[in-house]
Amino acid sequence: MFPTAPETFLPTLRLLLITTMVATGCSGSGNSGAPATAQATGTPGAEQAVGERLFMETRFAQAFKAFLDAGGDVNDPNAGDPVVDSVETLGAPITAEAPFKGMSMNCRSCHFVDDLLTAPGGGMRTYTDFAQRSPIPARADGKTHAPRNSPPLVNATLDRPGGMLLHFDAEFNSIEDLVAGTFTGRNFGWLPGERAQAIAHIAQVVRGDDGSFDPSDQFGGLSYRILFTGSNSAIPDESRLPPEFRAFIGSATDQEIFDAVVKVVAAYVNGLLFSQTEDSGAPIRSPFDVFLEKNGLPQRPDPNESPIDYSRRLRTLVNAPGFTPQFVTSNPNRSDGQFQFHSQPFEFGPTELDGLKMFLAEPAAPIASPAELTTGKIGNCIACHAAPNFTDFKLHNTGTTQREYDNLHATGDFFALPIPTLATRTANDLPATEQHPTASERFRSISSSSTTLTDLGVWNVFANPDMPAPQTKIRTILCDGQVPCPSDAVLLDRAIARFKTPGLRDLSHSAPYMHNGQFNTLNDIITFYRDTSTLARAGTLRNGAPELQGIALTAGDATALVAFLRALDEDYQ
């Protein structure tokens, strides 16, 4: 989507070459071998710093355009959108400490980090929010919440087999597509059909910015116009964008400015990864990772080894008769031996090891036997959450939608819900888009007891002509290796209520769980999987993932399994 050297950046490169020649001299004085300056080459990583500022920018929202239209100043962020005056949590809303109170929507308002670290009801986040469903700005459509909550962004852009698919329903084909869709979408207050307005508005803000408002507080009053040159003498070397991220804001079109903004924000999100290091250089690791290292167990798959084969090898090693584990009782990478941002002990002991063994355990056949169901201790978790990333990056129906729908209506109602086929589905059944701005979105909506609204996940995206980019990747997942691949009509039925498999690292900083936030605790999740696996074996879970039938857990297994999942927590910074 974004070429290595866009035409809009070529004048910048030519100017930089001329500037460098003048600065170093062309008289044969021996300077021809001098190293290139940061002014010419930029500083690797500067795009992430500038991207963070744009990620926190509150003036891109539709509410800020309304503020400008009413005579507001482009450099006054106080648009007064009520949606950011409080932060929704599972308990009381956070008001006094709301970080963007009085302003308007930005990326950070749905993807918090340490913004509410000490606030009652707050805490550390892995770039996600605290709400069951994310609040959105009020507009004429009457919507106040997105149909889903905000997925964590840490590790969201890991390389994966088959390529990138993002959002719970795989709507976006790349991180650039996701960023562009967010900046011009409903979460920022823009209605379907207003994309051009959004792009023009964002370009207006970038052009008019004088640097006086910087929510990241790291650029000393430099404007976007200056920062995007990368070469201006006022820019500190550490903040100089590499040439591929530069743009001439003064002469660029609205679309060119928008594309430049999107590219820099995408680079920022690409850098949000687990298992990094603190500023001091100390490694940040989970108790699980420390346990593997302490016992000489493999921490990554071997070359050409799949994650599930690696997980099975790990299972063989921890279950071997001669394995004598050395347990973890403190954090070796911090002076106090504990977590920095978690209140739990930093440990991986016998209970966590039992949970790991359950997590790695698989049934003898795809469907757990009566004996296995009685004995328990088979999570079959690696079918979808193989180590070390704890996700297969695929799409599954675990029963989340059915549970919510039936709880609001009656048991069995979701199973009987009329859902259009490929032949009968119309544009009005699908999410609203630029091409169909008045579509009903009835299958990507918040359920209620008085309607048949529900959320069918990837069903809304697959074979949707308004969303062409992700189709090939989604089709590959739905085919599931079947040759020849069934028709799109068959695959659409397979897509019902499927959602992306989340990763499992640092779950304690991303509750509530599932796309609709209907589970508050990890114990709730274990209970849910025990219930839906029973439904799957009984054939009463509509389009249920077949992997569910292999789960064999008893009520008493939850303690160890939850302890293991908590041992995947780490101090993301």
Side-chain angles (χ1 to χ4, degrees), residues 100-352:
F100 304 105
K101 189 171 184 177
M103 301 183 194
S104 46
M105 182 61 74
N106 62 359
C107 300
R108 192 67 164 254
S109 291
C110 292
H111 298 283
F112 294 113
V113 195
D114 58 355
D115 310 76
L116 296 158
L117 193 59
T118 60
M124 193 70 171
R125 296 270 94 181
T126 51
Y127 283 79
T128 185
D129 57 15
F130 297 84
Q132 289 185 311
R133 288 183 164 94
S134 299
I136 57 177
R139 290 296 306 276
D141 60 6
K143 296 179 179 178
T144 60
H145 290 77
R148 303 162 188 159
N149 57 24
S150 299
L153 290 183
V154 184
N155 269 19
T157 59
L158 290 174
D159 290 338
R160 63 205 66 187
M164 194 76 66
L165 286 171
L166 297 166
H167 266 205
F168 285 114
D169 58 10
E171 176 182 353
F172 296 108
N173 191 54
S174 68
I175 186 59
E176 289 83 2
D177 286 353
L178 184 151
V179 173
T182 302
F183 277 149
T184 60
R186 190 62 186 82
N187 285 40
F188 268 59
W190 302 103
L191 297 176
E194 294 182 343
R195 181 181 175 89
Q197 289 184 47
I199 290 172
H201 168 69
I202 290 169
Q204 178 185 359
V205 170
V206 173
R207 288 192 187 102
D209 173 63
D210 65 6
S212 60
F213 172 62
D214 175 8
S216 68
D217 195 27
Q218 58 182 330
F219 291 99
L222 293 178
S223 69
Y224 287 131
R225 187 183 293 258
I226 289 175
L227 282 174
F228 269 102
T229 69
S231 60
N232 190 290
S233 60
I235 305 173
D237 281 352
E238 66 272 13
S239 299
R240 294 190 183 279
L241 289 172
E244 64 268 29
F245 294 99
R246 297 178 181 181
F248 280 122
I249 300 303
S251 59
T253 65
D254 290 353
Q255 187 66 53
E256 288 166 347
I257 292 173
F258 180 73
D259 289 347
V261 167
V262 165
K263 188 173 183 179
V264 173
V265 174
Y268 172 63
V269 178
N270 280 330
L272 305 179
L273 300 168
F274 283 122
S275 300
Q276 301 298 298
T277 57
E278 296 182 8
D279 292 340
S280 67
I284 302 174
R285 300 292 182 268
S286 71
F288 167 72
D289 294 305
V290 173
F291 174 78
L292 294 184
E293 182 178 16
K294 189 170 185 176
N295 287 276
L297 295 167
Q299 299 179 58
R300 314 290 301 180
D302 287 338
N304 301 318
E305 182 180 36
S306 69
I308 195 165
D309 285 339
Y310 161 70
S311 298
R312 288 167 176 160
R313 179 161 62 98
L314 192 59
R315 180 180 68 208
T316 298
L317 292 170
V318 298
N319 284 313
F323 178 63
T324 304
Q326 298 182 57
F327 293 120
V328 176
T329 57
S330 67
N331 187 345
N333 301 311
R334 291 190 61 80
S335 59
D336 63 0
Q338 297 303 314
F339 283 105
Q340 183 177 5
F341 298 116
H342 292 276
S343 58
Q344 70 196 57
F346 192 100
E347 61 186 17
F348 196 102
T351 304
E352 288 77 13

Side-chain angles (χ1 to χ4, degrees), residues 457-499:
V458 75
W459 183 93
N460 292 284
V461 178
F462 180 65
N464 183 340
D466 291 354
M467 301 176 182
Q471 296 304 322
T472 299
K473 296 174 186 176
I474 294 173
R475 184 174 289 105
T476 298
I477 292 174
L478 296 177
C479 285
D480 197 25
Q482 187 174 346
V483 179
C485 185
S487 68
D488 282 1
V490 172
L491 296 183
L492 185 63
D493 288 340
R494 289 186 184 179
I496 291 173
R498 283 200 187 197
F499 295 87

